[in-house]
Amino acid sequence: MTGFAPALVLTAHGSADPRSAAVTHAVAGRIRRLRPWLDVRAAFLEQTSPSLAEVLTATEDAVVTPFLLASAYHARVDIPAVIAESGRCARRADALGEDPALLAVLRHRLAEAGVSADETGLGVVVVAVGSSNSEANARTASVATTLATGTRWAATQTAFATGPYANLAESLDAVRAAGARRVVIAPWFLAPGRITDRVAAFAAQHNVAMSEPLGSHNLVAATALDRYDVVSSARVAA
């Protein structure tokens, strides 16, 4: 760590699927390349090592930057609880959210899957993890609306793959009812894992194409850095 810059602790939920941790570490590596003088560490809330508690124990000053899309339970409750229990000098940044840079990555993943903004008769179903927090779900739902801006697609829908509002099948029916002759599923996920595998199996069963999750991308890394900078800059200004 150089100067007075706190460490950036990129904190993911954690998963039994090793592909998830691989993306977290890859994005942490991209952040290091974007800002070589910054101390960047990956951490996880559960199932994967090192845990956030372990990383904070070994870090004198940190900004815990959630590697999470939604500002739901893990970002609002779990991470602050671990920080409080650690007794370390650490602050929490905001979740990544519906950042325009991430929307650009989502469009890029769709383009890789053969989707054009000029395609007519297309339905795009943005699939995300569902939350019990209705506000978090509402913000996630804005992704599909924003994604469709400037396109000639027939319809877009937001679907939740898990949680009390799970509605993937209904969303597929909705875009078809709205005139979509071809449907593509766009996962609003940072990394592949068991949930995206279940969505892929659903897509294959219903003869629907599916793009890749956001994954490791410089715009994902830059968004995490933006969240970190808001907190670290506020400390300097104070």
Side-chain angles (χ1 to χ4, degrees), residues 86-120:
S86 74
R88 309 298 285 180
C89 179
R91 282 134 295 150
R92 175 181 63 92
D94 287 338
L96 303 182
E98 302 73 43
D99 194 281
L102 301 184
L103 267 293
V105 179
L106 185 60
R107 292 187 183 97
H108 177 66
R109 298 303 180 213
L110 281 167
E112 290 176 335
V115 171
S116 165
D118 292 327
E119 183 175 350
T120 58

Side-chain angles (χ1 to χ4, degrees), residues 36-171:
W37 58 89
L38 183 62
D39 181 8
V40 181
R41 309 183 186 195
F44 303 89
L45 289 170
E46 58 183 59
Q47 299 194 69
T48 312
S49 294
S51 70
L52 176 57
E54 291 169 338
V55 172
L56 289 179
T57 297
T59 308
E60 291 185 6
D61 187 12
V63 173
V64 177
T65 305
F67 193 52
L68 303 166
L69 291 172
S71 183
Y73 191 86
H74 298 304
R76 293 182 296 103
V77 178
D78 286 342
I79 288 176
V82 176
I83 291 173
E85 291 170 6
S86 74
R88 309 298 285 180
C89 179
R91 282 134 295 150
R92 175 181 63 92
D94 287 338
L96 303 182
E98 302 73 43
D99 194 281
L102 301 184
L103 267 293
V105 179
L106 185 60
R107 292 187 183 97
H108 177 66
R109 298 303 180 213
L110 281 167
E112 290 176 335
V115 171
S116 165
D118 292 327
E119 183 175 350
T120 58
L122 178 71
V124 175
V125 177
V126 177
V127 182
V129 173
S131 170
S132 58
N133 185 305
S134 58
E135 290 185 14
N137 287 339
R139 288 192 295 271
T140 301
S142 71
V143 171
T145 303
T146 305
L147 189 68
T149 301
T151 72
R152 301 177 66 191
W153 302 340
T156 57
Q157 282 282 325
T158 300
F160 297 106
T162 62
Y165 305 103
N167 62 343
L168 183 52
E170 294 90 336
S171 296

